[in-house]
PDB file of all heavy atoms in Angstrom:
ATOM      1  N   THR E  18     -83.414  -3.070-127.157  1.00  0.00           N
ATOM      2  CA  THR E  18     -83.219  -1.629-127.079  1.00  0.00           C
ATOM      3  C   THR E  18     -84.517  -0.889-127.124  1.00  0.00           C
ATOM      4  O   THR E  18     -85.559  -1.402-127.541  1.00  0.00           O
ATOM      5  CB  THR E  18     -82.326  -1.161-128.219  1.00  0.00           C
ATOM      6  OG1 THR E  18     -83.009  -1.328-129.459  1.00  0.00           O
ATOM      7  CG2 THR E  18     -81.013  -1.953-128.287  1.00  0.00           C
ATOM      8  N   ASP E  19     -84.465   0.425-126.725  1.00  0.00           N
ATOM      9  CA  ASP E  19     -85.655   1.267-126.801  1.00  0.00           C
ATOM     10  C   ASP E  19     -86.156   1.349-128.239  1.00  0.00           C
ATOM     11  O   ASP E  19     -87.371   1.378-128.495  1.00  0.00           O
ATOM     12  CB  ASP E  19     -85.342   2.668-126.275  1.00  0.00           C
ATOM     13  CG  ASP E  19     -85.290   2.684-124.738  1.00  0.00           C
ATOM     14  OD1 ASP E  19     -85.667   1.652-124.146  1.00  0.00           O
ATOM     15  OD2 ASP E  19     -84.911   3.708-124.181  1.00  0.00           O
ATOM     16  N   ALA E  20     -85.214   1.410-129.188  1.00  0.00           N
ATOM     17  CA  ALA E  20     -85.646   1.499-130.595  1.00  0.00           C
ATOM     18  C   ALA E  20     -86.397   0.263-131.031  1.00  0.00           C
ATOM     19  O   ALA E  20     -87.423   0.360-131.699  1.00  0.00           O
ATOM     20  CB  ALA E  20     -84.402   1.705-131.484  1.00  0.00           C
ATOM     21  N   GLN E  21     -85.894  -0.915-130.620  1.00  0.00           N
ATOM     22  CA  GLN E  21     -86.612  -2.138-130.953  1.00  0.00           C
ATOM     23  C   GLN E  21     -87.970  -2.202-130.296  1.00  0.00           C
ATOM     24  O   GLN E  21     -88.957  -2.624-130.885  1.00  0.00           O
ATOM     25  CB  GLN E  21     -85.757  -3.331-130.513  1.00  0.00           C
ATOM     26  CG  GLN E  21     -84.529  -3.548-131.361  1.00  0.00           C
ATOM     27  CD  GLN E  21     -83.632  -4.649-130.795  1.00  0.00           C
ATOM     28  OE1 GLN E  21     -83.392  -4.679-129.576  1.00  0.00           O
ATOM     29  NE2 GLN E  21     -83.154  -5.520-131.624  1.00  0.00           N
ATOM     30  N   LEU E  22     -88.046  -1.741-129.025  1.00  0.00           N
ATOM     31  CA  LEU E  22     -89.309  -1.792-128.308  1.00  0.00           C
ATOM     32  C   LEU E  22     -90.345  -0.899-128.938  1.00  0.00           C
ATOM     33  O   LEU E  22     -91.550  -1.119-128.820  1.00  0.00           O
ATOM     34  CB  LEU E  22     -89.109  -1.441-126.838  1.00  0.00           C
ATOM     35  CG  LEU E  22     -88.444  -2.527-125.992  1.00  0.00           C
ATOM     36  CD1 LEU E  22     -88.082  -1.946-124.614  1.00  0.00           C
ATOM     37  CD2 LEU E  22     -89.358  -3.693-125.823  1.00  0.00           C
ATOM     38  N   SER E  23     -89.930   0.168-129.582  1.00  0.00           N
ATOM     39  CA  SER E  23     -90.875   1.128-130.141  1.00  0.00           C
ATOM     40  C   SER E  23     -91.430   0.672-131.470  1.00  0.00           C
ATOM     41  O   SER E  23     -92.305   1.341-131.997  1.00  0.00           O
ATOM     42  CB  SER E  23     -90.177   2.500-130.310  1.00  0.00           C
ATOM     43  OG  SER E  23     -89.178   2.416-131.289  1.00  0.00           O
ATOM     44  N   GLU E  24     -90.928  -0.457-131.967  1.00  0.00           N
ATOM     45  CA  GLU E  24     -91.372  -0.908-133.280  1.00  0.00           C
ATOM     46  C   GLU E  24     -92.302  -2.112-133.167  1.00  0.00           C
ATOM     47  O   GLU E  24     -93.328  -2.066-132.501  1.00  0.00           O
ATOM     48  CB  GLU E  24     -90.148  -1.164-134.177  1.00  0.00           C
ATOM     49  CG  GLU E  24     -89.338   0.131-134.412  1.00  0.00           C
ATOM     50  CD  GLU E  24     -88.057  -0.108-135.157  1.00  0.00           C
ATOM     51  OE1 GLU E  24     -87.731  -1.286-135.448  1.00  0.00           O
ATOM     52  OE2 GLU E  24     -87.350   0.863-135.461  1.00  0.00           O
ATOM     53  N   GLU E  25     -91.914  -3.220-133.794  1.00  0.00           N
ATOM     54  CA  GLU E  25     -92.827  -4.339-133.955  1.00  0.00           C
ATOM     55  C   GLU E  25     -93.375  -4.934-132.655  1.00  0.00           C
ATOM     56  O   GLU E  25     -94.579  -5.093-132.503  1.00  0.00           O
ATOM     57  CB  GLU E  25     -92.182  -5.416-134.819  1.00  0.00           C
ATOM     58  CG  GLU E  25     -93.136  -6.515-135.253  1.00  0.00           C
ATOM     59  CD  GLU E  25     -94.301  -5.989-136.068  1.00  0.00           C
ATOM     60  OE1 GLU E  25     -94.128  -5.000-136.803  1.00  0.00           O
ATOM     61  OE2 GLU E  25     -95.401  -6.570-135.944  1.00  0.00           O
ATOM     62  N   PRO E  26     -92.491  -5.296-131.663  1.00  0.00           N
ATOM     63  CA  PRO E  26     -93.051  -5.897-130.453  1.00  0.00           C
ATOM     64  C   PRO E  26     -94.084  -5.020-129.749  1.00  0.00           C
ATOM     65  O   PRO E  26     -95.131  -5.490-129.316  1.00  0.00           O
ATOM     66  CB  PRO E  26     -91.820  -6.155-129.577  1.00  0.00           C
ATOM     67  CG  PRO E  26     -90.687  -6.176-130.508  1.00  0.00           C
ATOM     68  CD  PRO E  26     -91.044  -5.200-131.584  1.00  0.00           C
ATOM     69  N   LEU E  27     -93.777  -3.732-129.648  1.00  0.00           N
ATOM     70  CA  LEU E  27     -94.677  -2.832-128.959  1.00  0.00           C
ATOM     71  C   LEU E  27     -96.007  -2.695-129.697  1.00  0.00           C
ATOM     72  O   LEU E  27     -97.077  -2.664-129.094  1.00  0.00           O
ATOM     73  CB  LEU E  27     -94.018  -1.478-128.740  1.00  0.00           C
ATOM     74  CG  LEU E  27     -94.778  -0.465-127.887  1.00  0.00           C
ATOM     75  CD1 LEU E  27     -95.183  -1.068-126.573  1.00  0.00           C
ATOM     76  CD2 LEU E  27     -93.929   0.791-127.677  1.00  0.00           C
ATOM     77  N   ARG E  28     -95.940  -2.588-131.038  1.00  0.00           N
ATOM     78  CA  ARG E  28     -97.171  -2.491-131.815  1.00  0.00           C
ATOM     79  C   ARG E  28     -98.040  -3.749-131.593  1.00  0.00           C
ATOM     80  O   ARG E  28     -99.248  -3.633-131.399  1.00  0.00           O
ATOM     81  CB  ARG E  28     -96.854  -2.353-133.279  1.00  0.00           C
ATOM     82  CG  ARG E  28     -96.459  -0.922-133.713  1.00  0.00           C
ATOM     83  CD  ARG E  28     -96.665  -0.749-135.205  1.00  0.00           C
ATOM     84  NE  ARG E  28     -95.881  -1.700-135.987  1.00  0.00           N
ATOM     85  CZ  ARG E  28     -94.649  -1.497-136.409  1.00  0.00           C
ATOM     86  NH1 ARG E  28     -94.045  -0.358-136.112  1.00  0.00           N
ATOM     87  NH2 ARG E  28     -94.011  -2.410-137.112  1.00  0.00           N
ATOM     88  N   GLU E  29     -97.379  -4.902-131.588  1.00  0.00           N
ATOM     89  CA  GLU E  29     -98.123  -6.143-131.418  1.00  0.00           C
ATOM     90  C   GLU E  29     -98.759  -6.212-130.032  1.00  0.00           C
ATOM     91  O   GLU E  29     -99.924  -6.616-129.881  1.00  0.00           O
ATOM     92  CB  GLU E  29     -97.198  -7.337-131.635  1.00  0.00           C
ATOM     93  CG  GLU E  29     -97.890  -8.681-131.539  1.00  0.00           C
ATOM     94  CD  GLU E  29     -96.949  -9.832-131.817  1.00  0.00           C
ATOM     95  OE1 GLU E  29     -95.864  -9.595-132.374  1.00  0.00           O
ATOM     96  OE2 GLU E  29     -97.313 -10.986-131.484  1.00  0.00           O
ATOM     97  N   TRP E  30     -97.985  -5.823-129.001  1.00  0.00           N
ATOM     98  CA  TRP E  30     -98.529  -5.861-127.641  1.00  0.00           C
ATOM     99  C   TRP E  30     -99.719  -4.930-127.494  1.00  0.00           C
ATOM    100  O   TRP E  30    -100.725  -5.291-126.845  1.00  0.00           O
ATOM    101  CB  TRP E  30     -97.447  -5.483-126.641  1.00  0.00           C
ATOM    102  CG  TRP E  30     -96.363  -6.504-126.526  1.00  0.00           C
ATOM    103  CD1 TRP E  30     -96.432  -7.837-126.883  1.00  0.00           C
ATOM    104  CD2 TRP E  30     -95.048  -6.295-126.039  1.00  0.00           C
ATOM    105  NE1 TRP E  30     -95.237  -8.460-126.651  1.00  0.00           N
ATOM    106  CE2 TRP E  30     -94.357  -7.564-126.147  1.00  0.00           C
ATOM    107  CE3 TRP E  30     -94.340  -5.208-125.556  1.00  0.00           C
ATOM    108  CZ2 TRP E  30     -93.042  -7.728-125.726  1.00  0.00           C
ATOM    109  CZ3 TRP E  30     -93.024  -5.377-125.160  1.00  0.00           C
ATOM    110  CH2 TRP E  30     -92.398  -6.609-125.228  1.00  0.00           C
ATOM    111  N   LEU E  31     -99.637  -3.733-128.051  1.00  0.00           N
ATOM    112  CA  LEU E  31    -100.738  -2.798-127.948  1.00  0.00           C
ATOM    113  C   LEU E  31    -101.978  -3.296-128.693  1.00  0.00           C
ATOM    114  O   LEU E  31    -103.103  -2.999-128.313  1.00  0.00           O
ATOM    115  CB  LEU E  31    -100.349  -1.409-128.448  1.00  0.00           C
ATOM    116  CG  LEU E  31     -99.337  -0.651-127.545  1.00  0.00           C
ATOM    117  CD1 LEU E  31     -98.954   0.663-128.198  1.00  0.00           C
ATOM    118  CD2 LEU E  31     -99.943  -0.397-126.157  1.00  0.00           C
ATOM    119  N   GLN E  32    -101.766  -4.025-129.760  1.00  0.00           N
ATOM    120  CA  GLN E  32    -102.892  -4.604-130.486  1.00  0.00           C
ATOM    121  C   GLN E  32    -103.560  -5.722-129.719  1.00  0.00           C
ATOM    122  O   GLN E  32    -104.769  -5.894-129.766  1.00  0.00           O
ATOM    123  CB  GLN E  32    -102.428  -5.125-131.866  1.00  0.00           C
ATOM    124  CG  GLN E  32    -102.108  -4.033-132.853  1.00  0.00           C
ATOM    125  CD  GLN E  32    -101.485  -4.582-134.136  1.00  0.00           C
ATOM    126  OE1 GLN E  32    -100.951  -5.702-134.136  1.00  0.00           O
ATOM    127  NE2 GLN E  32    -101.547  -3.839-135.212  1.00  0.00           N
ATOM    128  N   GLN E  33    -102.754  -6.475-128.972  1.00  0.00           N
ATOM    129  CA  GLN E  33    -103.260  -7.657-128.292  1.00  0.00           C
ATOM    130  C   GLN E  33    -103.716  -7.377-126.853  1.00  0.00           C
ATOM    131  O   GLN E  33    -104.621  -8.050-126.351  1.00  0.00           O
ATOM    132  CB  GLN E  33    -102.196  -8.751-128.268  1.00  0.00           C
ATOM    133  CG  GLN E  33    -101.871  -9.291-129.652  1.00  0.00           C
ATOM    134  CD  GLN E  33    -100.788 -10.372-129.593  1.00  0.00           C
ATOM    135  OE1 GLN E  33    -100.217 -10.632-128.552  1.00  0.00           O
ATOM    136  NE2 GLN E  33    -100.512 -10.983-130.740  1.00  0.00           N
ATOM    137  N   ALA E  34    -103.098  -6.424-126.181  1.00  0.00           N
ATOM    138  CA  ALA E  34    -103.448  -6.135-124.798  1.00  0.00           C
ATOM    139  C   ALA E  34    -104.899  -5.705-124.712  1.00  0.00           C
ATOM    140  O   ALA E  34    -105.320  -4.781-125.424  1.00  0.00           O
ATOM    141  CB  ALA E  34    -102.530  -5.064-124.215  1.00  0.00           C
ATOM    142  N   PRO E  35    -105.711  -6.344-123.871  1.00  0.00           N
ATOM    143  CA  PRO E  35    -107.126  -5.977-123.784  1.00  0.00           C
ATOM    144  C   PRO E  35    -107.377  -4.482-123.548  1.00  0.00           C
ATOM    145  O   PRO E  35    -108.352  -3.925-124.046  1.00  0.00           O
ATOM    146  CB  PRO E  35    -107.634  -6.803-122.601  1.00  0.00           C
ATOM    147  CG  PRO E  35    -106.725  -8.017-122.603  1.00  0.00           C
ATOM    148  CD  PRO E  35    -105.390  -7.499-122.993  1.00  0.00           C
ATOM    149  N   PHE E  36    -106.506  -3.837-122.811  1.00  0.00           N
ATOM    150  CA  PHE E  36    -106.683  -2.405-122.531  1.00  0.00           C
ATOM    151  C   PHE E  36    -106.667  -1.558-123.812  1.00  0.00           C
ATOM    152  O   PHE E  36    -107.326  -0.518-123.888  1.00  0.00           O
ATOM    153  CB  PHE E  36    -105.602  -1.905-121.589  1.00  0.00           C
ATOM    154  CG  PHE E  36    -106.128  -1.384-120.292  1.00  0.00           C
ATOM    155  CD1 PHE E  36    -106.006  -2.119-119.123  1.00  0.00           C
ATOM    156  CD2 PHE E  36    -106.782  -0.157-120.219  1.00  0.00           C
ATOM    157  CE1 PHE E  36    -106.520  -1.640-117.927  1.00  0.00           C
ATOM    158  CE2 PHE E  36    -107.267   0.322-119.030  1.00  0.00           C
ATOM    159  CZ  PHE E  36    -107.144  -0.428-117.871  1.00  0.00           C
ATOM    160  N   PHE E  37    -105.887  -2.002-124.804  1.00  0.00           N
ATOM    161  CA  PHE E  37    -105.664  -1.170-125.992  1.00  0.00           C
ATOM    162  C   PHE E  37    -106.199  -1.813-127.285  1.00  0.00           C
ATOM    163  O   PHE E  37    -105.881  -1.371-128.369  1.00  0.00           O
ATOM    164  CB  PHE E  37    -104.174  -0.893-126.153  1.00  0.00           C
ATOM    165  CG  PHE E  37    -103.560  -0.311-124.917  1.00  0.00           C
ATOM    166  CD1 PHE E  37    -102.624  -1.027-124.184  1.00  0.00           C
ATOM    167  CD2 PHE E  37    -103.926   0.943-124.462  1.00  0.00           C
ATOM    168  CE1 PHE E  37    -102.066  -0.491-123.018  1.00  0.00           C
ATOM    169  CE2 PHE E  37    -103.377   1.486-123.308  1.00  0.00           C
ATOM    170  CZ  PHE E  37    -102.453   0.770-122.583  1.00  0.00           C
ATOM    171  N   ARG E  38    -107.034  -2.834-127.125  1.00  0.00           N
ATOM    172  CA  ARG E  38    -107.555  -3.566-128.287  1.00  0.00           C
ATOM    173  C   ARG E  38    -108.473  -2.680-129.097  1.00  0.00           C
ATOM    174  O   ARG E  38    -109.203  -1.822-128.581  1.00  0.00           O
ATOM    175  CB  ARG E  38    -108.302  -4.816-127.794  1.00  0.00           C
ATOM    176  CG  ARG E  38    -108.692  -5.790-128.905  1.00  0.00           C
ATOM    177  CD  ARG E  38    -109.240  -7.058-128.292  1.00  0.00           C
ATOM    178  NE  ARG E  38    -108.207  -7.776-127.543  1.00  0.00           N
ATOM    179  CZ  ARG E  38    -108.469  -8.562-126.504  1.00  0.00           C
ATOM    180  NH1 ARG E  38    -109.679  -8.705-126.062  1.00  0.00           N
ATOM    181  NH2 ARG E  38    -107.471  -9.208-125.902  1.00  0.00           N
ATOM    182  N   ASP E  39    -108.412  -2.876-130.428  1.00  0.00           N
ATOM    183  CA  ASP E  39    -109.297  -2.201-131.385  1.00  0.00           C
ATOM    184  C   ASP E  39    -109.058  -0.695-131.519  1.00  0.00           C
ATOM    185  O   ASP E  39    -109.922   0.024-131.997  1.00  0.00           O
ATOM    186  CB  ASP E  39    -110.774  -2.464-131.035  1.00  0.00           C
ATOM    187  CG  ASP E  39    -111.166  -3.923-131.107  1.00  0.00           C
ATOM    188  OD1 ASP E  39    -110.565  -4.639-131.952  1.00  0.00           O
ATOM    189  OD2 ASP E  39    -112.003  -4.360-130.340  1.00  0.00           O
ATOM    190  N   LEU E  40    -107.903  -0.239-131.100  1.00  0.00           N
ATOM    191  CA  LEU E  40    -107.554   1.154-131.336  1.00  0.00           C
ATOM    192  C   LEU E  40    -106.953   1.288-132.747  1.00  0.00           C
ATOM    193  O   LEU E  40    -106.329   0.353-133.259  1.00  0.00           O
ATOM    194  CB  LEU E  40    -106.524   1.635-130.320  1.00  0.00           C
ATOM    195  CG  LEU E  40    -106.904   1.580-128.842  1.00  0.00           C
ATOM    196  CD1 LEU E  40    -105.828   2.259-128.008  1.00  0.00           C
ATOM    197  CD2 LEU E  40    -108.257   2.234-128.581  1.00  0.00           C
ATOM    198  N   SER E  41    -107.117   2.437-133.336  1.00  0.00           N
ATOM    199  CA  SER E  41    -106.508   2.667-134.642  1.00  0.00           C
ATOM    200  C   SER E  41    -105.013   2.872-134.454  1.00  0.00           C
ATOM    201  O   SER E  41    -104.512   3.091-133.337  1.00  0.00           O
ATOM    202  CB  SER E  41    -107.123   3.919-135.288  1.00  0.00           C
ATOM    203  OG  SER E  41    -106.744   5.077-134.548  1.00  0.00           O
ATOM    204  N   ALA E  42    -104.295   2.811-135.572  1.00  0.00           N
ATOM    205  CA  ALA E  42    -102.850   3.037-135.522  1.00  0.00           C
ATOM    206  C   ALA E  42    -102.512   4.396-134.930  1.00  0.00           C
ATOM    207  O   ALA E  42    -101.578   4.539-134.134  1.00  0.00           O
ATOM    208  CB  ALA E  42    -102.234   2.888-136.921  1.00  0.00           C
ATOM    209  N   ALA E  43    -103.281   5.410-135.309  1.00  0.00           N
ATOM    210  CA  ALA E  43    -103.042   6.761-134.781  1.00  0.00           C
ATOM    211  C   ALA E  43    -103.309   6.822-133.285  1.00  0.00           C
ATOM    212  O   ALA E  43    -102.596   7.476-132.521  1.00  0.00           O
ATOM    213  CB  ALA E  43    -103.918   7.763-135.510  1.00  0.00           C
ATOM    214  N   GLN E  44    -104.355   6.144-132.835  1.00  0.00           N
ATOM    215  CA  GLN E  44    -104.680   6.120-131.407  1.00  0.00           C
ATOM    216  C   GLN E  44    -103.605   5.375-130.615  1.00  0.00           C
ATOM    217  O   GLN E  44    -103.208   5.803-129.529  1.00  0.00           O
ATOM    218  CB  GLN E  44    -106.045   5.490-131.172  1.00  0.00           C
ATOM    219  CG  GLN E  44    -107.200   6.341-131.659  1.00  0.00           C
ATOM    220  CD  GLN E  44    -108.520   5.587-131.679  1.00  0.00           C
ATOM    221  OE1 GLN E  44    -108.552   4.346-131.823  1.00  0.00           O
ATOM    222  NE2 GLN E  44    -109.612   6.318-131.552  1.00  0.00           N
ATOM    223  N   ARG E  45    -103.104   4.276-131.162  1.00  0.00           N
ATOM    224  CA  ARG E  45    -102.026   3.545-130.473  1.00  0.00           C
ATOM    225  C   ARG E  45    -100.783   4.408-130.381  1.00  0.00           C
ATOM    226  O   ARG E  45    -100.073   4.407-129.378  1.00  0.00           O
ATOM    227  CB  ARG E  45    -101.734   2.235-131.206  1.00  0.00           C
ATOM    228  CG  ARG E  45    -102.788   1.175-130.999  1.00  0.00           C
ATOM    229  CD  ARG E  45    -102.270  -0.205-131.406  1.00  0.00           C
ATOM    230  NE  ARG E  45    -101.941  -0.265-132.811  1.00  0.00           N
ATOM    231  CZ  ARG E  45    -102.797  -0.596-133.773  1.00  0.00           C
ATOM    232  NH1 ARG E  45    -104.056  -0.878-133.469  1.00  0.00           N
ATOM    233  NH2 ARG E  45    -102.404  -0.650-135.032  1.00  0.00           N
TER     234      ARG E  45
END
Side-chain angles (χ1 to χ4, degrees):
T18 66
D19 283 352
Q21 289 173 315
L22 285 171
S23 65
E24 296 174 357
E25 190 60 32
L27 187 52
R28 280 201 302 269
E29 183 178 344
W30 292 339
L31 289 176
Q32 287 173 339
Q33 294 179 354
F36 241 105
F37 307 113
R38 190 172 294 152
D39 298 328
L40 301 187
S41 68
Q44 289 168 335
R45 287 196 297 271

